[in-house]
Amino acid sequence: MTDIPSSINGVTVEFGGAVNKDVHDRVIEALKIVVKPGIATGKSLQKIYISSANDQHALPSRHAQQKAVDISRINGIKMVIGYPQGGEVTAIVKAMQTAFETYAHKRENFGPFMKKKSGADHAVGGHADHIHLSVN
């Protein structure tokens, strides 16, 4: 297990006060795929806010298994405000969720843009205000 770093590919990572950063190595690998300054064409990802990782959830949650992370802000903007109204946050959310689908160990990709589990559409409530990514 590894702590989520405070910078990924030059993008600042901020954390909620209750976040336990100790996660499975595959979560870090996945973040390195989706957290990049130029993830969305013509937009600049400078900062993300992780509101949950290995915390705030009970088994069988992927969070409690150290295999999930929730991202709730992009460049300091809460997704509920910046998404789905368009602009930079929307483009970055779409790009991040799309990029996660290329990761071989993806499991859950729930967010404002799509809701997929193991690459297939998946009906699940919530996630309009954050991206939830989990790994196998």
Side-chain angles (χ1 to χ4, degrees):
M1 303 300 160
T2 307
D3 277 0
I4 301 169
S6 60
S7 179
I8 298 172
N9 296 321
V11 175
T12 300
V13 180
E14 295 179 336
F15 301 92
V19 173
N20 178 346
K21 303 177 215 176
D22 185 33
V23 294
H24 193 281
D25 293 342
R26 287 183 177 166
V27 172
I28 306 296
E29 290 173 5
L31 288 171
K32 288 178 180 177
I33 291 169
V34 304
V35 178
K36 297 178 179 178
I39 189 74
T41 304
K43 309 296 181 193
S44 177
L45 176 57
Q46 301 165 0
K47 180 170 49 176
I48 65 167
Y49 181 87
I50 294 179
S51 52
S52 181
N54 174 18
D55 49 72
Q56 305 172 51
H57 297 82
L59 288 171
S61 168
R62 304 301 285 175
H63 288 280
Q65 297 174 42
Q66 297 176 289
K67 294 184 175 180
V69 65
D70 290 345
I71 301 168
S72 62
R73 296 180 199 164
I74 302 292
N75 293 339
I77 301 170
K78 290 182 180 181
M79 285 182 207
V80 71
I81 296 169
Y83 195 101
Q85 291 133 339
E88 182 176 69
V89 171
T90 300
I92 292 170
V93 166
K94 286 181 178 181
M96 289 175 74
Q97 285 199 262
T98 299
F100 183 70
E101 284 302 300
T102 69
Y103 184 51
H105 302 288
K106 68 184 177 288
R107 180 174 166 95
E108 298 162 337
N109 183 357
F110 306 152
F113 178 58
M114 71 174 75
K115 293 178 181 172
K116 292 188 177 276
K117 185 170 182 176
S118 300
D121 289 340
H122 184 74
V124 63
H127 306 92
D129 63 350
H130 69 281
I131 300 170
H132 165 90
L133 304 175
S134 79
V135 300
N136 284 316

